[in-house]
Amino acid sequence: MSNHVPNTTVQRLPVYLRCLVQEQSLRVPVANSVRIAEMAGTNAAQVRKDLSYLGEYGIRGIGYDVDGLVRHLTRWLGLEHVRKAAIVGYGRLGSALLGYGGFQDRGFSLAAVFDTDPEKIGTAAGSGLVVEPLADFAAAVERDALEIVVLTVPASVAQAVTDTVVAAGIKAILNFAPTKLLVPADVAVRQADVAAELQILSFHLSSGGE
Amino acid sequence: MSNHVPNTTVQRLPVYLRCLVQEQSLRVPVANSVRIAEMAGTNAAQVRKDLSYLGEYGIRGIGYDVDGLVRHLTRWLGLEHVRKAAIVGYGRLGSALLGYGGFQDRGFSLAAVFDTDPEKIGTAAGSGLVVEPLADFAAAVERDALEIVVLTVPASVAQAVTDTVVAAGIKAILNFAPTKLLVPADVAVRQADVAAELQILSFHLSSGGE
DNA sequence: TGATGTGAAATGATTCACAGCA
DNA sequence: TGCTGTGAATCATTTCACATCA
């Protein structure tokens, strides 16, 4: 057991979990590192090293017990209980994410939606949710035990909205706005900039595909 | 001038470009590595090293000419001409991305939309586009000079759809489906798995925020 | 003078190769 | 036997520190 898992490893854990859950649904009882690697798109040594940071969960000569490893990964990722997330910014992307049914399966529930536009506040947002004013955010964090904010507001207001949700005690933000957020050191931010991803692809197109 | 730019550097180039375009809009003529670093959320040595892989674009004692560097980054990212992308999968996420106006500014035009659902084919999809059958994809690649596919289909059909678009000559795919895509070595794929991002945030929440 | 550009050093990640164990 | 777990080696990236030059 170790107390430091490298960042690169952390980013692969959700992939491993997804692959193992798939094996589980196929009733495969055991998976070895070669199998996990080919499903996850990496190599066997990487899989073994990554998993060894978490503990000794494999069986020599056999592989990894799928159910057991799913349980361990779920625990390491903090997904034993469903985490509540809030959509902040009820635009097209916010409503698309709300409508996407794939989060429940993977440990998350979108439990509230916020906006500042008076036109939007009070409207029904699917899943029985109603768009609430951002001014009520802090109260809602208490009420719904919100832990994660999915930020789908325009870049121009992203920092101000971030300051509001951080003041309300939020420690994890998935930011779809194309802007760097300044947050205290104990707040985790992941950037999800779709246009930047396209630009990276464009680079690869330009450099002859190698 | 170099002929190999590290992957980690490539991933930061869009961030630098975004920051410099912002400086441009503020009529700032010159930016030094310290300034770029604080906007981009990195450090000055990193900025200088990254930019030095592309060439010698700075002026010693002064910094980087903003307009000039914007031009160079645009060229390195292959963004001198607008790249045409297709949305494949006209569900909630596909339609949200189509409705998002922020791509044009950053070098992309969403030029076509495809689906296999007969209910959706033929319906208007905003921006004057009509949802086309995936069977017509290869013809549309020719017609519209499509270069990039944004894949917003369910995971269960993602590989089959990928095989179709790759057969039509597509070399760059942004995959929103939570599944590994098998593609030939000359096809670039970027993964955009929102639930995986949330799981990474969950890990950070669990490990006490350090 | 005050910045860049860059070798060299330090750090971090991946891969190798094999000991150790079911 | 056939796999995992893991030190050691390799490779990649980041950071340092300073020569260089407008």
Side-chain angles (χ1 to χ4, degrees), chain B residues 1-33:
Chain B
M1 188 177 333
S2 97
N3 45 10
H4 182 249
V5 182
N7 247 286
T8 44
T9 294
V10 173
Q11 294 180 25
R12 282 185 293 265
L13 297 182
V15 179
Y16 298 149
L17 179 57
R18 200 186 67 208
C19 296
L20 287 159
V21 166
Q22 191 179 331
E23 289 294 67
Q24 228 176 8
S25 75
L26 298 170
R27 299 285 186 278
V28 176
V30 170
N32 65 26
S33 59

Side-chain angles (χ1 to χ4, degrees), chain B:
Chain B
M1 188 177 333
S2 97
N3 45 10
H4 182 249
V5 182
N7 247 286
T8 44
T9 294
V10 173
Q11 294 180 25
R12 282 185 293 265
L13 297 182
V15 179
Y16 298 149
L17 179 57
R18 200 186 67 208
C19 296
L20 287 159
V21 166
Q22 191 179 331
E23 289 294 67
Q24 228 176 8
S25 75
L26 298 170
R27 299 285 186 278
V28 176
V30 170
N32 65 26
S33 59
V34 174
R35 174 73 184 133
I36 297 171
E38 77 187 15
M39 293 184 85
T42 179
N43 65 71
Q46 182 84 83
V47 170
R48 291 201 303 276
K49 184 65 97 177
D50 284 340
L51 295 178
S52 76
Y53 288 121
L54 311 183
E56 300 199 10
Y57 299 142
I59 308 157
R60 287 164 201 243
I62 304 289
Y64 299 88
D65 174 68
V66 171
D67 290 345
L69 191 48
V70 164
R71 265 196 309 277
H72 288 303
L73 284 172
T74 299
R75 190 162 42 73
W76 274 95
L77 288 169
L79 299 170
E80 305 119 306
H81 71 96
V82 172
R83 296 217 187 244
K84 306 284 192 63
I87 301 280
V88 179
Y90 188 62
R92 272 184 262 252
L93 184 55
S95 71
L97 293 172
L98 257 184
Y100 175 59
F103 296 123
Q104 193 72 48
D105 280 1
R106 300 185 60 193
F108 303 94
S109 143
L110 300 180
V113 202
F114 299 87
D115 207 299
T116 50
D117 180 351
E119 296 276 304
K120 289 175 183 168
I121 291 164
T123 63
S127 342
L129 297 179
V130 170
V131 180
E132 302 180 62
L134 188 61
D136 294 355
F137 184 81
V141 168
E142 296 289 310
R143 183 193 68 204
D144 294 331
L146 302 174
E147 294 185 288
I148 301 176
V149 159
V150 178
L151 201 64
T152 52
V153 301
S156 53
V157 298
Q159 185 61 57
V161 172
T162 297
D163 296 343
T164 301
V165 304
V166 167
I170 287 294
K171 300 288 187 212
I173 299 173
L174 178 53
N175 177 30
F176 281 88
T179 190
K180 168 83 192 159
L181 299 179
L182 294 171
V183 294
D186 67 339
V187 176
V189 176
R190 299 278 305 171
Q191 200 66 24
D193 182 343
V194 179
E197 294 295 322
L198 292 176
Q199 290 179 340
I200 294 166
L201 287 170
S202 176
F203 178 94
H204 289 300
L205 288 174
S206 293
S207 36
E210 356 87 45

Side-chain angles (χ1 to χ4, degrees), chain A residues 20-28:
Chain A
L20 288 159
V21 167
Q22 192 181 329
E23 289 293 67
Q24 229 176 8
S25 74
L26 298 170
R27 300 283 185 280
V28 176

